[in-house]
Amino acid sequence: MTRRTALVWDERTMWHTTGPSTGIFVAHGQLQPGVHVENPETKRRLKNLLDGYGVTDDLDLLGAAAVDDDVLLRFHTPDYLERLATLSRASGGQAGDSAPFGAGSYELARRAVGCCLSGAHAVVDGQVDNAYVLTRPPGHHAERDRGRGFCLLANLSLAVLDLLALGKVERVAIVDWDVHHGNGTQQAFYADPRVLTLSIHQDQLYPAESGFLSETGEGSGLGRNMNVPLPPGSGAAAYSDVFDRVVEPAFRDFEPDLIVIACGFDSSYFDPMGHMLLLSPHYAAMTERLCALADALGHGRVLCCHEGGYSESYVPFCGVATIDALRGQRSTLRDRFAEGDEYSWQALQPHQRSAVDAAVSGPLQAFVDAAAG
């Protein structure tokens, strides 16, 4: 099924800098400086691959919307925003835990939020069927009063909060398949019954103190937060089992007006920041399942917001496959990494099945109980 898909892209968001670093560590004169793992190249190479294979020509190209303070203050505290602004006007600094940024990066992070708003409104207003927001810095780790994990502002959460505040949607389901737990998104909606949040991540990778089965929401949002922590080495069969037994049942019962994907590609086989085994066709398959579910719900609305992914050579393949699935068309790009048994053969292991069993009897059951109560 061919769909109308938007690509939200603003070159200026690529100008956000994480500074001279060695991997994830700021050099500070103690290490030979190099390039931080969160840098523009994975995203630019994805955009270039879309251009090179003619995919961009078939997409609706959108830019950033203007974002005022009222949008940011729906989640972030005034003190935190003022601290970001002050540091950004000088030489930058640390927004929090592992969230370095340079001069001017606060303004660029606001632009990244604007990109998510552009995509969200284009989908909900019926301008397009779905959208892929390709921007940086990422946002799913950003908390109310601090940045974390390379994230400064809660891009995706702020876009959802904007739609809810304007009355454009009543119920939103968010699935986060980044290899790291979506702690910021969880915090934003932990007590909000209008939003179902579901994070599939490597168990206790980052942040190590969050993302547990027991975190199922609070107050009127009890049962609306789900975590599915998977053991390292999980691949296509494990993620498919999660979709079969957790994601699809919960989303069908919740009946959201919009499905949002926190789209991290760091759960791929080749990523330096995780230990999972997904390949580009696996991301395509998960995207296709969510698009089919959105179609079955009668609206077809899917918003995909780029999060992590740090393999410069492989992220672009995953991104093109995901966007191909959104638009319902196959590009001529060939992913040779996904063609042989060496990388693509991944059977479901007993310990992986047990992890999904725990999610079914824990977060999914909490959701069912809350709905019944």
Side-chain angles (χ1 to χ4, degrees), residues 128 158 211 223 256 291:
V128 293
L158 290 165
C291 287

Side-chain angles (χ1 to χ4, degrees), residues 313-327:
S313 61
Y314 199 62
V315 163
F317 286 95
C318 299
V320 172
T322 299
I323 291 169
D324 278 352
L326 287 173
R327 67 195 186 103

